[in-house]
Amino acid sequence: MAPDTHPLSLPPDLIRLGARPAGKEAAIREAAQLLIAAGCIDPAYADSMIRRETVANTFLGHGVAIPHGMVDDRDLVRRNGIAILQVPDGVLWNEGQTARLVVAIAAQSDAHIAILRRLTRLMQDEARLNALFSTADPAELVAALSDDSPAAGPASDAGDLAESFEWVVDYPTGLHARPAAAWVETARTAAGRVRIRHGGEAADGKTLVALLQLGLRPGDRVTVSTDGPDALAALNRLRATITGLSAREKADAAAAARKAKAAVQGWTPPAAADGRAMPVVAGLGASPGLAIGPVHVLPKADLTVPDRPVPLLEGGNRLHEALTLTRQQLKALADDTARRLGPAEAGIFTAQAELLNDTDLVTLTCQLMVEGHGPGWSWNEAVERSAATLAANPNPVLAGRASDLRDVGRRVLTRIDPDLRGGSIRDLPDGPCILAADDLSPSDTAALDMGRVIGLATAQGGPTSHTAILARTLGLPAMVAGGAALTGLANGTLAILDGQSGRLYLDPAEGDLTAAHGWIEEQRVKKAQQEERRGLPARTRDGHTVEIGANVNRPDQVPVALSQGAEGVGLMRTEFLFLERGDAPGEDEQYETYRAMLEALDGRPLIVRALDIGGDKQVPHLHLPHEENPFLGVRGARLLLRRPELLEPQLRALYRAAKHAREGALSIMFPMITTLREIEALRAACDRIRAELDAPAVPLGIMVEVPAAAIQADVLARHVDFFSIGTNDLTQYALAVDRQHPELAAEADSLHPSVLRLIRMTVDGAARHGRWVGVCGGIAGDPFGAALLAGLGVRELSMTPRDIPGVKDRLRDSDLAGLRALALRAVDCESSDEVRALDGGAS
């Protein structure tokens, strides 16, 4: 049979309105059946269309999918044709993708390019496309897919969807990539649309690039809106995610400010005897430290992407394969970075991977391909257009995300066309060097050979870029924004790089080198002393010891915690076993996790907090009832006592693990305890399950998170073995401040004298019965907060691993009498500002 190269036609009998397929495969087969009935395809081509879904994503975006068969099965196409299945309620295509128009394509050649061009143009006219999703007139679909006129531009005033709320951005650095990725992740759980509007500009809440392009700054007012069958529930989930990130963003900004304030001072060159000043390239300090060595200039990659058109289906296959392989590569990079540098740094690559899910980026690439361009050229053009929009943002943090987009875009591009790999950061001199470059991507920075690169200087970039963040984590001296003078240096030029002041000193004299080497040695000795001290106990100068634990969620996080000086795990949040999945883990799975945690700790103490769900931690698959105020509702122990199917498997798993643990290594504590009756009921459940399993007794403790528990600590202490104070919740309930409230969260200060008095009351009540008190809340990881807690009589502190060295140093440089005097002054203060003013260093 000669190939049918005639344009595709769309007679009414190839359109089915109001379809309700059970799933994606059913939708494809229903659309294929229309083509079979019209004589367009052999029945076997339907199976070929199903197979394609396993190797390529045929979701074009904006509710449109274009299923078609494998290239090798074109002989099963009898004549060109398309069929349209209208699914008004939508059908799940892939995770986060709902199709409402399924356009099945049968073509022996590229005759379907015209229809794809019309579809991509149609997707720019949202109002018309939405009308097609529900029209009862097939002629409207015929007209829309026969119309070659350009789509109407977007309306200047973006409207809001059915359910909405307003929020004022209170993230100190605006909406940057990591919180935006969390927004998108939550938005994609919505069945309908999610829209984020700022003034007259709106973005698809399920698209990371579109969100970042809004350029949201602190103080900007946005409207978040949703529609669809679960609009209100989806909106509530979004509200919880968006506002729930505020405290973390503020804490991270405050921690960064403290670290910047405490950072080691930069090096000052000695005055030359002859008055000669070293030539210097000035930029911005990005990562403190001093490096001495020859400069190696990385050639600027002036990438020219050739436009090599290929058949559209082949181009689509290449793009899909490249995106899939790059996601896998970024996942591996994130895992490796998490192990080496920490989860916050790994989040950089998780956010980068989210950029690949940007439907607008993929749609634009497809549109350029259907206009006749090659896949590599089309992808690069789409990335550059989006990156240019980001780079133009006046907010430097958001502008810095253009580098991330280009970074991940280059990864995909080299998968599409391996000839574009170009030079590599691995093409370096054999000896150590200061690497100078126009710019460096986050993934290149994370992959630097620290044995060959001793310093980093870039002509572009800023101190808030992901590259700068990674350099600081790696401990690599770095400067940014050095300008064109940097890349004009001759390879081999001897230099001294000061990452604190952001200066690159050139051609140093012997006296300069001697002074610099002396400064480096002083810093090396100081750092070595700090690292050696990590493993030492937090023992004050007069011999009082405070136990230091880490807040850890999974067994694979234990080695990092121990390397930072943790003496055990003071808080294992078991809710993460439930939050990071779509169903509840069974008893056996939980047992394996707890046993693996104990084995990783090798006899060191482990305190496991029973499931703490409710409040700001909601688990959709548990189907908890909606509460107007979940922080005052059924959460923590209240939920466990009402849902034995959650409590009992967890207790059984814990007691089974205890049978294989060193005596006393495992402790269990229960969250959100308010009354003695709750303790009695939970202890009875523990006793019954322990007897059934013939397991050893383990210490049972409670979280002190509400004022009622602190006030009645002397009564509750008779019935428990220890207390652990959750200062974040205790502060919230004591001060009546929702720590997620966008306007009030900053007032939820755990150093408020009222909170400190509740802590003292808890310690005093516990002491009457010989019980010990720990703290696993936020202020435990603040050196000054830890000093106050130790002075109040707290015996154990548990914190994020990276905070351990600083806390230990502060306590070792103190004496118990001074800490007690400091605590007495703090509880007599009138405000948290007065308390913080007491921070004068060692006590």
Side-chain angles (χ1 to χ4, degrees):
M1 182 192 302
D4 181 354
T5 58
H6 294 296
L8 299 176
S9 60
L10 184 58
D13 62 344
L14 282 171
I15 298 175
R16 179 166 296 166
L17 302 178
R20 296 179 177 273
K24 178 168 75 169
E25 181 172 344
I28 293 172
R29 292 197 181 279
E30 190 171 345
Q33 189 58 45
L34 296 175
L35 292 170
I36 293 169
C40 295
I41 59 173
D42 187 281
Y45 194 70
D47 293 326
S48 180
M49 296 168 77
I50 298 297
R51 284 198 302 276
R52 171 165 285 278
E53 295 300 317
T54 66
V55 298
N57 183 6
T58 62
F59 187 79
L60 195 58
H62 296 270
V64 179
I66 51 168
H68 45 277
M70 303 290 286
V71 175
D72 294 340
D73 293 329
R74 283 187 177 182
D75 60 320
L76 299 176
V77 176
R78 294 173 178 171
R79 65 180 180 86
N80 292 340
I82 62 171
I84 295 182
L85 197 70
Q86 180 206 60
V87 188
D89 295 334
V91 59
L92 181 66
W93 208 256
N94 293 304
E95 185 177 354
Q97 299 173 341
T98 301
R100 291 181 168 82
L101 281 185
V102 179
V103 183
I105 301 174
Q108 290 180 322
S109 65
D110 285 335
H112 60 302
I113 286 179
I115 206 73
L116 285 175
R117 182 182 293 114
R118 292 168 193 152
L119 279 171
T120 53
R121 287 177 176 169
L122 181 61
M123 284 189 283
Q124 298 176 56
D125 187 347
E126 189 173 342
R128 189 178 189 191
L129 185 60
N130 286 338
L132 296 180
F133 291 161
S134 57
T135 182
D137 185 359
E140 290 188 22
L141 283 163
V142 173
L145 294 179
S146 303
D147 183 4
D148 278 325
S149 61
S156 58
D157 292 323
D160 299 324
L161 303 176
E163 300 288 346
S164 66
F165 72 90
E166 286 193 349
W167 180 68
V168 176
V169 179
D170 64 349
Y171 303 165
T173 53
L175 181 64
H176 56 97
R178 278 173 284 177
W183 288 27
V184 169
E185 184 179 357
T186 302
R188 286 189 173 149
T189 65
R193 294 173 296 171
V194 174
R195 181 172 295 160
I196 313 295
R197 180 176 61 80
H198 175 226
E201 296 182 52
D204 180 354
K206 300 181 180 182
T207 303
L208 183 60
V209 171
L211 270 182
L212 293 176
Q213 287 176 343
L214 286 177
L216 297 179
R217 294 180 165 194
D220 284 349
R221 185 175 294 275
V222 297
T223 300
V224 181
S225 61
T226 59
D227 65 7
D230 66 339
L232 186 57
L235 194 72
N236 288 334
R237 291 196 298 272
L238 275 165
R239 190 198 305 267
T241 295
I242 291 170
T243 59
L245 289 168
S246 296
R248 170 58 62 85
E249 287 296 303
K250 291 173 182 175
D252 287 349
R258 288 195 300 271
K259 287 180 180 178
K261 182 179 178 182
V264 64
Q265 293 300 308
W267 174 70
T268 302
D274 59 2
R276 181 189 72 90
M278 277 187 292
V280 62
V281 177
L284 298 174
S287 177
L290 210 63
I292 304 171
V295 172
H296 176 78
V297 180
L298 197 66
K300 186 175 181 179
D302 291 322
L303 183 67
T304 301
V305 182
D307 193 356
R308 298 173 179 148
V310 298
L312 191 60
L313 294 179
E314 180 185 337
N317 285 344
R318 281 197 203 172
L319 177 62
H320 174 75
E321 182 180 13
L323 290 169
T324 300
L325 291 173
T326 303
R327 286 189 188 97
Q328 295 170 354
Q329 187 182 46
L330 287 169
K331 175 66 166 63
L333 182 56
D335 290 345
D336 179 63
T337 303
R339 285 193 297 270
R340 294 190 300 117
L341 307 180
E345 288 72 18
I348 291 171
F349 301 106
T350 303
Q352 279 196 345
E354 186 57 53
L355 292 169
L356 298 179
N357 296 325
D358 178 15
T359 55
D360 289 341
L361 203 60
V362 175
T363 298
L364 177 56
T365 303
C366 291
Q367 185 174 7
L368 293 169
M369 283 196 292
V370 300
E371 289 175 0
H373 298 288
W377 187 94
S378 298
W379 171 257
N380 188 64
E381 178 69 13
V383 167
E384 284 301 317
R385 289 186 193 180
S386 293
T389 302
L390 285 173
N393 196 293
N395 184 329
V397 174
L398 300 181
R401 299 297 80 82
S403 175
D404 289 276
L405 181 56
R406 289 189 172 106
D407 183 20
V408 74
R410 182 69 60 88
R411 286 179 176 275
V412 175
L413 186 60
T414 56
R415 293 286 185 176
I416 295 174
D417 189 347
D419 293 339
L420 298 174
R421 291 186 187 277
S424 169
I425 58 169
R426 294 170 180 81
D427 301 330
L428 299 173
D430 291 334
C433 69
I434 296 171
L435 182 63
D438 184 65
D439 202 359
L440 209 60
S441 70
S443 53
D444 281 344
T445 305
L448 286 175
D449 182 348
M450 298 291 287
R452 299 166 73 186
V453 178
I454 57 175
L456 178 63
T458 64
Q460 300 184 42
T464 60
S465 70
H466 284 160
T467 297
I469 291 170
L470 288 168
R472 289 193 290 273
T473 304
L474 289 165
L476 185 69
M479 63 171 279
V480 295
L486 195 62
T487 53
L489 296 174
N491 278 341
T493 301
L494 187 62
I496 300 173
L497 171 65
D498 182 358
Q500 178 69 21
S501 64
R503 281 173 164 72
L504 185 69
Y505 297 98
L506 307 174
D507 299 319
E510 281 300 320
D512 300 319
L513 292 172
T514 299
H517 280 296
W519 191 91
I520 289 174
E521 178 62 17
E522 289 176 10
Q523 300 305 312
R524 186 196 66 77
V525 171
K526 186 180 294 186
K527 182 178 180 182
Q529 289 172 343
Q530 290 175 343
E531 290 180 350
E532 182 182 356
R533 286 160 61 93
R534 285 180 187 175
L536 299 175
R539 183 175 294 123
T540 63
R541 290 190 296 248
D542 51 353
H544 176 73
T545 301
V546 178
E547 295 178 21
I548 302 295
N551 298 342
V552 168
N553 302 328
R554 301 191 310 269
D556 62 346
Q557 297 171 341
V558 170
V560 172
L562 297 180
S563 72
Q564 294 298 308
E567 298 156 4
V569 170
L571 171 64
M572 178 187 180
R573 303 180 181 94
T574 59
E575 58 270 15
F576 281 88
L577 299 175
F578 293 72
L579 288 167
E580 297 175 351
R581 55 189 297 145
D583 57 354
E587 177 187 327
D588 289 344
E589 184 177 346
Q590 290 191 63
Y591 160 71
E592 293 296 339
T593 300
Y594 304 140
R595 184 168 181 181
M597 183 74 87
L598 287 161
E599 289 175 353
L601 285 165
D602 192 25
R604 299 176 182 87
L606 167 64
I607 301 177
V608 177
R609 182 173 71 188
L611 182 62
D612 185 14
I613 292 298
D616 58 338
K617 297 184 288 289
Q618 297 293 329
V619 181
H621 60 76
L622 294 183
H623 306 295
L624 303 180
H626 171 72
E627 295 181 288
E628 289 301 322
N629 193 335
F631 281 104
L632 298 180
V634 180
R635 60 169 296 202
R638 298 170 183 171
L639 176 66
L640 293 174
L641 291 171
R642 287 166 172 79
R643 297 283 293 269
E645 75 277 13
L646 297 176
L647 173 65
E648 299 202 3
Q650 183 168 43
L651 291 180
R652 291 182 64 85
L654 285 165
Y655 277 108
R656 285 171 61 189
K659 296 175 72 172
H660 303 281
R662 180 181 63 79
E663 183 179 355
L666 175 66
S667 299
I668 302 171
M669 66 180 176
F670 294 101
M672 278 297 294
I673 295 294
T674 308
T675 67
L676 178 58
R677 181 182 57 80
E678 293 167 341
I679 295 174
E680 292 172 337
L682 289 165
R683 184 173 279 280
C686 289
D687 290 343
R688 173 174 53 80
I689 289 171
R690 181 175 66 82
E692 291 174 2
L693 296 173
D694 191 25
V698 302
L700 298 179
I702 64 168
M703 295 286 294
V704 176
E705 298 168 283
V706 297
I711 293 168
Q712 209 177 11
D714 58 331
V715 175
L716 303 183
R718 288 198 298 265
H719 303 271
V720 298
D721 299 303
F722 65 94
F723 291 141
S724 185
I725 301 174
T727 54
N728 296 339
D729 268 321
L730 184 61
T731 301
Q732 172 176 247
Y733 293 122
L735 301 182
V737 172
D738 182 351
R739 54 192 169 98
Q740 296 183 0
H741 195 287
E743 296 181 22
L744 300 177
E747 298 180 24
D749 192 335
S750 296
L751 293 184
H752 192 286
S754 300
V755 180
L756 297 179
R757 291 184 182 200
L758 287 170
I759 294 172
R760 182 174 64 177
M761 192 176 294
T762 304
V763 172
D764 290 345
R768 295 184 189 180
H769 301 280
R771 310 306 189 200
W772 62 267
V773 177
V775 168
C776 57
I779 60 172
D782 172 47
F784 176 59
L788 286 176
L789 293 171
L792 288 169
V794 171
R795 286 177 40 190
E796 183 254 10
L797 301 171
S798 190
M799 64 206 71
T800 301
R802 67 172 178 269
D803 293 331
I804 292 173
V807 167
K808 280 191 165 184
D809 279 347
R810 178 64 179 261
L811 294 175
R812 289 196 201 99
D813 290 338
S814 307
D815 60 75
L816 184 58
L819 294 175
R820 286 173 174 168
L822 176 68
L824 284 174
R825 293 199 300 273
V827 295
D828 285 339
C829 287
E830 296 181 354
S831 68
S832 54
D833 289 338
E834 280 190 33
V835 173
R836 291 186 181 279
L838 298 174
D839 186 8
S843 301

